[in-house]
Amino acid sequence: MTRLGVLVSGQGSNLRALYAAIQAGRVPATVALVGADREAPALTWAREQGLATFLADARALGRAAFEESLGRALDAAQVEALVLAGFLRVLSPALVARYPDRILNVHPSLLPAFPGLDAIGQALAHGVRVTGVTVHLVSAELDAGPIVLQEPVAVDPAEGRAAVEARVHAVEHRLLPEAVRLLCEGRIRTRGRIVDIVEG
Ligand code: GRF
């Protein structure tokens, strides 16, 4: 069982989907710590489940002090791999280096298109007919690490944002647990920025 640290900033739907997959026995992991940089519904939900949680206000503390206390909490919880599930901060190169090829992020676009905040809004404003979901390994650069899984989502310009968002999120909730499973099973290998998924 891989001991996961899951970092969140928002609603926590990806955290809930991952936790459900773990509880159902589809991902050989345990959620050792849920960490947040702000109060968030995701954190409230984690507390309700009785999960160990960490909260520090990254804006008030600054990145260095935030990551120092986060690092201590991750060590105390013996976290072996990190999952960024709607975590709205960029980790420092030093923290990323502590978990080589063991940090996953889910992003609501087909990277490298539309990195950064509000990727769905960016895609709709650009008028794309296809967007999607990317799960990638985290490097020190924003939304730029090696791609593990990707899946397209069709966009009909006649439909509203809510419909596109719902389809993107449904894909996220399937793809993130799948990628975490591959990581926990030791099946993700990197060659530079290329990811090979080896047979289990
Ligand atoms: C997701 O769309 C994720 O890809 C993005 O932020 C959103 C978080 O949603 N980075 P939730 O907090 O998991 O519900």
Side-chain angles (χ1 to χ4, degrees), residues 48-69:
E48 284 166 7
Q49 306 311 303
L51 295 170
T53 58
F54 164 87
L55 169 65
D57 183 341
R59 263 181 227 160
L61 289 174
R63 183 161 88 171
F66 170 75
E67 287 196 356
E68 202 178 301
S69 67

PDB file of all heavy atoms in Angstrom, residues 48-69:
ATOM      1  N   GLU A  48     -14.242  15.071   7.883  1.00  0.00           N
ATOM      2  CA  GLU A  48     -15.455  14.265   8.149  1.00  0.00           C
ATOM      3  C   GLU A  48     -15.192  12.772   7.964  1.00  0.00           C
ATOM      4  O   GLU A  48     -15.827  11.946   8.612  1.00  0.00           O
ATOM      5  CB  GLU A  48     -16.598  14.712   7.219  1.00  0.00           C
ATOM      6  CG  GLU A  48     -17.229  16.022   7.635  1.00  0.00           C
ATOM      7  CD  GLU A  48     -18.115  16.621   6.538  1.00  0.00           C
ATOM      8  OE1 GLU A  48     -18.342  15.942   5.508  1.00  0.00           O
ATOM      9  OE2 GLU A  48     -18.550  17.772   6.715  1.00  0.00           O
ATOM     10  N   GLN A  49     -14.258  12.457   7.048  1.00  0.00           N
ATOM     11  CA  GLN A  49     -13.933  11.033   6.837  1.00  0.00           C
ATOM     12  C   GLN A  49     -12.991  10.511   7.919  1.00  0.00           C
ATOM     13  O   GLN A  49     -12.649   9.332   7.936  1.00  0.00           O
ATOM     14  CB  GLN A  49     -13.248  10.797   5.482  1.00  0.00           C
ATOM     15  CG  GLN A  49     -13.976  11.328   4.283  1.00  0.00           C
ATOM     16  CD  GLN A  49     -15.432  10.927   4.277  1.00  0.00           C
ATOM     17  OE1 GLN A  49     -15.744   9.738   4.329  1.00  0.00           O
ATOM     18  NE2 GLN A  49     -16.329  11.899   4.232  1.00  0.00           N
ATOM     19  N   GLY A  50     -12.489  11.410   8.761  1.00  0.00           N
ATOM     20  CA  GLY A  50     -11.515  11.009   9.763  1.00  0.00           C
ATOM     21  C   GLY A  50     -10.108  10.864   9.208  1.00  0.00           C
ATOM     22  O   GLY A  50      -9.254  10.229   9.833  1.00  0.00           O
ATOM     23  N   LEU A  51      -9.859  11.450   8.040  1.00  0.00           N
ATOM     24  CA  LEU A  51      -8.507  11.405   7.466  1.00  0.00           C
ATOM     25  C   LEU A  51      -7.610  12.410   8.187  1.00  0.00           C
ATOM     26  O   LEU A  51      -8.084  13.434   8.681  1.00  0.00           O
ATOM     27  CB  LEU A  51      -8.562  11.743   5.969  1.00  0.00           C
ATOM     28  CG  LEU A  51      -9.317  10.744   5.091  1.00  0.00           C
ATOM     29  CD1 LEU A  51      -9.520  11.299   3.680  1.00  0.00           C
ATOM     30  CD2 LEU A  51      -8.558   9.427   5.030  1.00  0.00           C
ATOM     31  N   ALA A  52      -6.318  12.118   8.223  1.00  0.00           N
ATOM     32  CA  ALA A  52      -5.363  13.074   8.781  1.00  0.00           C
ATOM     33  C   ALA A  52      -5.270  14.261   7.838  1.00  0.00           C
ATOM     34  O   ALA A  52      -5.205  14.082   6.610  1.00  0.00           O
ATOM     35  CB  ALA A  52      -3.999  12.407   8.933  1.00  0.00           C
ATOM     36  N   THR A  53      -5.283  15.458   8.387  1.00  0.00           N
ATOM     37  CA  THR A  53      -5.248  16.651   7.537  1.00  0.00           C
ATOM     38  C   THR A  53      -4.153  17.614   7.996  1.00  0.00           C
ATOM     39  O   THR A  53      -3.737  17.601   9.152  1.00  0.00           O
ATOM     40  CB  THR A  53      -6.603  17.405   7.550  1.00  0.00           C
ATOM     41  OG1 THR A  53      -6.918  17.763   8.887  1.00  0.00           O
ATOM     42  CG2 THR A  53      -7.712  16.565   6.948  1.00  0.00           C
ATOM     43  N   PHE A  54      -3.732  18.435   7.039  1.00  0.00           N
ATOM     44  CA  PHE A  54      -2.759  19.498   7.306  1.00  0.00           C
ATOM     45  C   PHE A  54      -3.284  20.752   6.650  1.00  0.00           C
ATOM     46  O   PHE A  54      -3.741  20.723   5.503  1.00  0.00           O
ATOM     47  CB  PHE A  54      -1.397  19.141   6.686  1.00  0.00           C
ATOM     48  CG  PHE A  54      -0.468  20.315   6.580  1.00  0.00           C
ATOM     49  CD1 PHE A  54       0.363  20.657   7.633  1.00  0.00           C
ATOM     50  CD2 PHE A  54      -0.430  21.090   5.419  1.00  0.00           C
ATOM     51  CE1 PHE A  54       1.213  21.756   7.536  1.00  0.00           C
ATOM     52  CE2 PHE A  54       0.419  22.193   5.323  1.00  0.00           C
ATOM     53  CZ  PHE A  54       1.241  22.520   6.388  1.00  0.00           C
ATOM     54  N   LEU A  55      -3.258  21.864   7.377  1.00  0.00           N
ATOM     55  CA  LEU A  55      -3.651  23.143   6.789  1.00  0.00           C
ATOM     56  C   LEU A  55      -2.659  24.209   7.209  1.00  0.00           C
ATOM     57  O   LEU A  55      -2.351  24.341   8.397  1.00  0.00           O
ATOM     58  CB  LEU A  55      -5.058  23.551   7.259  1.00  0.00           C
ATOM     59  CG  LEU A  55      -5.468  24.989   6.931  1.00  0.00           C
ATOM     60  CD1 LEU A  55      -5.581  25.227   5.430  1.00  0.00           C
ATOM     61  CD2 LEU A  55      -6.793  25.341   7.613  1.00  0.00           C
ATOM     62  N   ALA A  56      -2.145  24.941   6.234  1.00  0.00           N
ATOM     63  CA  ALA A  56      -1.380  26.154   6.525  1.00  0.00           C
ATOM     64  C   ALA A  56      -1.729  27.159   5.451  1.00  0.00           C
ATOM     65  O   ALA A  56      -1.925  26.792   4.286  1.00  0.00           O
ATOM     66  CB  ALA A  56       0.117  25.866   6.545  1.00  0.00           C
ATOM     67  N   ASP A  57      -1.858  28.413   5.849  1.00  0.00           N
ATOM     68  CA  ASP A  57      -2.245  29.468   4.919  1.00  0.00           C
ATOM     69  C   ASP A  57      -1.009  29.909   4.128  1.00  0.00           C
ATOM     70  O   ASP A  57      -0.172  30.652   4.625  1.00  0.00           O
ATOM     71  CB  ASP A  57      -2.829  30.640   5.726  1.00  0.00           C
ATOM     72  CG  ASP A  57      -3.329  31.764   4.822  1.00  0.00           C
ATOM     73  OD1 ASP A  57      -2.907  31.812   3.638  1.00  0.00           O
ATOM     74  OD2 ASP A  57      -4.135  32.580   5.296  1.00  0.00           O
ATOM     75  N   ALA A  58      -0.928  29.385   2.897  1.00  0.00           N
ATOM     76  CA  ALA A  58       0.278  29.635   2.104  1.00  0.00           C
ATOM     77  C   ALA A  58       0.438  31.110   1.777  1.00  0.00           C
ATOM     78  O   ALA A  58       1.558  31.614   1.688  1.00  0.00           O
ATOM     79  CB  ALA A  58       0.230  28.806   0.821  1.00  0.00           C
ATOM     80  N   ARG A  59      -0.679  31.810   1.577  1.00  0.00           N
ATOM     81  CA  ARG A  59      -0.581  33.233   1.236  1.00  0.00           C
ATOM     82  C   ARG A  59       0.009  34.028   2.397  1.00  0.00           C
ATOM     83  O   ARG A  59       0.850  34.894   2.202  1.00  0.00           O
ATOM     84  CB  ARG A  59      -1.958  33.796   0.886  1.00  0.00           C
ATOM     85  CG  ARG A  59      -2.155  33.797  -0.615  1.00  0.00           C
ATOM     86  CD  ARG A  59      -3.499  34.370  -0.984  1.00  0.00           C
ATOM     87  NE  ARG A  59      -4.110  33.480  -1.954  1.00  0.00           N
ATOM     88  CZ  ARG A  59      -5.394  33.442  -2.229  1.00  0.00           C
ATOM     89  NH1 ARG A  59      -6.251  34.200  -1.580  1.00  0.00           N
ATOM     90  NH2 ARG A  59      -5.843  32.618  -3.129  1.00  0.00           N
ATOM     91  N   ALA A  60      -0.432  33.706   3.604  1.00  0.00           N
ATOM     92  CA  ALA A  60       0.061  34.433   4.771  1.00  0.00           C
ATOM     93  C   ALA A  60       1.516  34.077   5.068  1.00  0.00           C
ATOM     94  O   ALA A  60       2.315  34.938   5.433  1.00  0.00           O
ATOM     95  CB  ALA A  60      -0.820  34.138   5.975  1.00  0.00           C
ATOM     96  N   LEU A  61       1.855  32.799   4.911  1.00  0.00           N
ATOM     97  CA  LEU A  61       3.185  32.331   5.311  1.00  0.00           C
ATOM     98  C   LEU A  61       4.263  32.591   4.267  1.00  0.00           C
ATOM     99  O   LEU A  61       5.436  32.735   4.605  1.00  0.00           O
ATOM    100  CB  LEU A  61       3.151  30.821   5.573  1.00  0.00           C
ATOM    101  CG  LEU A  61       2.423  30.332   6.819  1.00  0.00           C
ATOM    102  CD1 LEU A  61       2.386  28.811   6.816  1.00  0.00           C
ATOM    103  CD2 LEU A  61       3.128  30.838   8.067  1.00  0.00           C
ATOM    104  N   GLY A  62       3.863  32.591   3.000  1.00  0.00           N
ATOM    105  CA  GLY A  62       4.851  32.589   1.916  1.00  0.00           C
ATOM    106  C   GLY A  62       5.237  31.154   1.599  1.00  0.00           C
ATOM    107  O   GLY A  62       5.071  30.260   2.424  1.00  0.00           O
ATOM    108  N   ARG A  63       5.766  30.953   0.373  1.00  0.00           N
ATOM    109  CA  ARG A  63       5.989  29.584  -0.096  1.00  0.00           C
ATOM    110  C   ARG A  63       6.991  28.807   0.758  1.00  0.00           C
ATOM    111  O   ARG A  63       6.762  27.650   1.087  1.00  0.00           O
ATOM    112  CB  ARG A  63       6.430  29.575  -1.564  1.00  0.00           C
ATOM    113  CG  ARG A  63       6.591  28.163  -2.091  1.00  0.00           C
ATOM    114  CD  ARG A  63       6.581  28.100  -3.588  1.00  0.00           C
ATOM    115  NE  ARG A  63       7.904  28.290  -4.145  1.00  0.00           N
ATOM    116  CZ  ARG A  63       8.201  28.100  -5.441  1.00  0.00           C
ATOM    117  NH1 ARG A  63       7.247  27.731  -6.288  1.00  0.00           N
ATOM    118  NH2 ARG A  63       9.407  28.288  -5.885  1.00  0.00           N
ATOM    119  N   ALA A  64       8.090  29.451   1.128  1.00  0.00           N
ATOM    120  CA  ALA A  64       9.153  28.718   1.842  1.00  0.00           C
ATOM    121  C   ALA A  64       8.641  28.193   3.181  1.00  0.00           C
ATOM    122  O   ALA A  64       8.814  27.004   3.492  1.00  0.00           O
ATOM    123  CB  ALA A  64      10.359  29.612   2.034  1.00  0.00           C
ATOM    124  N   ALA A  65       7.996  29.053   3.956  1.00  0.00           N
ATOM    125  CA  ALA A  65       7.523  28.617   5.280  1.00  0.00           C
ATOM    126  C   ALA A  65       6.374  27.624   5.137  1.00  0.00           C
ATOM    127  O   ALA A  65       6.276  26.658   5.910  1.00  0.00           O
ATOM    128  CB  ALA A  65       7.090  29.831   6.098  1.00  0.00           C
ATOM    129  N   PHE A  66       5.502  27.855   4.148  1.00  0.00           N
ATOM    130  CA  PHE A  66       4.398  26.911   3.912  1.00  0.00           C
ATOM    131  C   PHE A  66       4.956  25.527   3.609  1.00  0.00           C
ATOM    132  O   PHE A  66       4.540  24.520   4.206  1.00  0.00           O
ATOM    133  CB  PHE A  66       3.523  27.398   2.751  1.00  0.00           C
ATOM    134  CG  PHE A  66       2.511  26.376   2.294  1.00  0.00           C
ATOM    135  CD1 PHE A  66       1.379  26.115   3.034  1.00  0.00           C
ATOM    136  CD2 PHE A  66       2.715  25.664   1.108  1.00  0.00           C
ATOM    137  CE1 PHE A  66       0.453  25.157   2.622  1.00  0.00           C
ATOM    138  CE2 PHE A  66       1.801  24.702   0.685  1.00  0.00           C
ATOM    139  CZ  PHE A  66       0.666  24.457   1.447  1.00  0.00           C
ATOM    140  N   GLU A  67       5.913  25.470   2.691  1.00  0.00           N
ATOM    141  CA  GLU A  67       6.449  24.157   2.281  1.00  0.00           C
ATOM    142  C   GLU A  67       7.268  23.506   3.393  1.00  0.00           C
ATOM    143  O   GLU A  67       7.313  22.283   3.488  1.00  0.00           O
ATOM    144  CB  GLU A  67       7.281  24.299   1.008  1.00  0.00           C
ATOM    145  CG  GLU A  67       6.397  24.527  -0.202  1.00  0.00           C
ATOM    146  CD  GLU A  67       7.133  24.298  -1.508  1.00  0.00           C
ATOM    147  OE1 GLU A  67       8.346  24.038  -1.480  1.00  0.00           O
ATOM    148  OE2 GLU A  67       6.469  24.377  -2.556  1.00  0.00           O
ATOM    149  N   GLU A  68       7.879  24.319   4.223  1.00  0.00           N
ATOM    150  CA  GLU A  68       8.634  23.748   5.336  1.00  0.00           C
ATOM    151  C   GLU A  68       7.687  23.018   6.285  1.00  0.00           C
ATOM    152  O   GLU A  68       7.949  21.876   6.691  1.00  0.00           O
ATOM    153  CB  GLU A  68       9.368  24.867   6.065  1.00  0.00           C
ATOM    154  CG  GLU A  68      10.557  24.387   6.861  1.00  0.00           C
ATOM    155  CD  GLU A  68      11.251  25.557   7.514  1.00  0.00           C
ATOM    156  OE1 GLU A  68      11.691  26.463   6.780  1.00  0.00           O
ATOM    157  OE2 GLU A  68      11.299  25.570   8.750  1.00  0.00           O
ATOM    158  N   SER A  69       6.575  23.657   6.619  1.00  0.00           N
ATOM    159  CA  SER A  69       5.655  22.981   7.543  1.00  0.00           C
ATOM    160  C   SER A  69       4.908  21.849   6.842  1.00  0.00           C
ATOM    161  O   SER A  69       4.671  20.795   7.434  1.00  0.00           O
ATOM    162  CB  SER A  69       4.719  23.965   8.241  1.00  0.00           C
ATOM    163  OG  SER A  69       3.838  24.531   7.333  1.00  0.00           O
TER     164      SER A  69
END
